[in-house]
Structure formats: structure tokens, C-alpha cells
Amino acid sequence: MRFLDSHGLLGSRLLLGHCVHVDAANIRMICRAGASISTQPVSNRVLGPGIAPVSAFLQAGINVDIGTDDANCNDACDVLSDLKTLGWCNAPSIATLRP
């Protein structure tokens, strides 16, 4: 995130993909910049890089969308199925969110 920020790339027009390896400082930077995050829960489960901390993104006020990635790491490419997987991956933390 620091690299993107130092080059003027971290801003409200940026859509970051996956974001499975972020810390609290990164989340604050993303939030301050107004950037958005696209999470691909099935792809992340198939490829194994980790699970995005979606509840932390939402609690920080970051806009989060869901993507299917592509057929080489998600054979269904079904956004509703991926949304269900996202719920399973983040169930304990998402359940504690309040509107």
C-alpha cells in the first residue's frame, strides 16, 4: 500500500483485488484513500493465499465487492455461490457487524 500511495496510485478510483495479506495500517490507508476492494473467496480458497478480512474492511467503511476471478481457479464463476462461500469464510466475524 505504501508503494501505491507513494506513487499517487492509491485513491478513490482504485479497485484492489484479493487483499488477503493486509494489516491494520494498510486498511487505514485504503480507507483514507477511498479505494475499494474486490474479494474473490473461492479463488482464494482454491489457490490458498488466505482469507480476506472482509469484516475489518466493512468496519473501516471500505467499499467491498465480490468477484469470481476466472475459470482457472473457480470452475463455477457463480457470484451467488461465491457470496455463500464468503459467508462461510467470514461467518464468525461478519455475524458481529452492526448496521
Side-chain angles (χ1 to χ4, degrees), residues 2 8 18 54-55 57-58 70 74 80 85-86 94:
R2 288 187 293 272
H18 301 278
V54 172
S55 61
F57 301 152
L58 295 173
D70 57 25
N74 184 350
L80 295 178
T85 301
L86 176 65
I94 287 180

Side-chain angles (χ1 to χ4, degrees), residues 12-88:
S12 62
R13 294 178 45 160
L14 181 64
L15 176 62
L16 297 157
H18 301 278
C19 291
V20 295
H21 300 291
V22 293
D23 58 22
N26 294 148
I27 291 171
R28 285 190 299 273
M29 290 177 76
I30 294 166
C31 183
R32 271 196 304 270
S36 297
I37 295 172
S38 178
T39 184
Q40 294 79 21
V42 172
S43 169
N44 292 339
R45 297 291 290 168
V46 170
L47 299 175
I51 297 172
V54 172
S55 61
F57 301 152
L58 295 173
Q59 287 174 338
I62 297 170
N63 180 49
V64 179
D65 72 20
I66 187 165
T68 60
D69 221 328
D70 57 25
N72 70 342
C73 53
N74 184 350
D75 60 352
C77 289
D78 177 352
V79 75
L80 295 178
S81 177
D82 286 16
L83 188 58
K84 186 176 183 180
T85 301
L86 176 65
W88 287 338

